[in-house]
Amino acid sequence: KLGLGFEVFVGVKLQSPTRENLEKFEAAARRWPEVVDCAIVTGEVDYMLRVVTTDMHAYDDFLRDDLLAQGLV
């Protein structure tokens, strides 16, 4: 009903997982309405995000304009 039919799970690896960068990333993730879940994980990635958008184009916009624009990943 909301038109949010595109869901993707995104593994995020920070360039440098310092305490400061972790806090910056978590603060940014809280501001993004597309991110419905954000979990810190161990292994090859630092976070696993559940992202919900209207379609692939909206996800691509989120990826370029928000996630990658942070300069942390």
Side-chain angles (χ1 to χ4, degrees):
K1 289 183 178 186
L2 295 175
L4 301 174
F6 189 79
E7 180 176 4
V8 63
F9 290 87
V10 182
V12 175
K13 177 76 174 161
L14 299 181
Q15 290 178 8
S16 177
T18 63
R19 176 179 288 277
E20 180 181 352
N21 286 345
L22 292 167
E23 290 172 358
K24 284 181 183 179
F25 181 80
E26 291 170 11
R30 281 192 289 275
R31 291 191 303 269
W32 298 324
E34 297 89 351
V35 176
V36 296
D37 286 314
C38 175
I40 192 165
V41 296
T42 59
E44 293 189 27
V45 296
D46 299 310
Y47 292 92
M48 186 61 67
L49 304 181
R50 181 173 158 225
V51 178
V52 178
T53 63
T54 54
D55 56 28
M56 181 63 178
H57 297 291
Y59 170 71
D60 188 58
D61 290 342
F62 164 76
L63 181 64
R64 293 169 190 265
D65 298 340
D66 296 316
L67 186 60
L68 296 177
Q70 289 298 307
L72 297 173
V73 297

